[in-house]
Amino acid sequence: MLTGKELKIKRIILDIKAIEIAEHLQVHKSYISILEKGTQKIPKHIYVKWITFLNEKESVQICN
């Protein structure tokens, strides 16, 4: 399981804004910041949706 910081790094590498992640997860952008900083543990259901979203975006970039 990736940490919040690792998820943030992956998000930045994929050129995805925090607001995009927040909208996909249906949470507030500030909540994403809290999770990425490690202030709060990432709930499993959020983590699964988050990593799936990043992997989908990564697959699209590889195909292009």
Side-chain angles (χ1 to χ4, degrees):
M1 186 166 175
L2 298 176
T3 66
K5 185 175 184 177
E6 291 168 329
L7 288 171
K8 180 178 182 176
I9 291 167
K10 186 168 182 167
R11 174 179 65 76
I12 291 169
I13 289 170
L14 294 172
D15 195 30
I16 300 170
K17 304 288 183 204
I19 191 71
E20 290 179 66
I21 298 287
E23 288 172 354
H24 180 75
L25 299 176
Q26 299 177 332
V27 297
H28 198 275
K29 182 181 167 237
S30 61
Y31 185 58
I32 296 301
S33 178
I34 289 168
L35 298 177
E36 287 181 341
K37 288 179 185 174
T39 306
Q40 183 175 327
K41 187 176 178 198
I42 303 170
K44 187 171 183 168
H45 72 284
I46 295 285
Y47 179 82
V48 170
K49 290 168 97 176
W50 192 339
I51 200 72
T52 301
F53 180 74
L54 291 177
N55 288 337
E56 288 171 0
K57 292 290 186 174
E58 187 174 37
S59 294
V60 169
Q61 283 189 355
I62 290 171
C63 291
N64 290 332

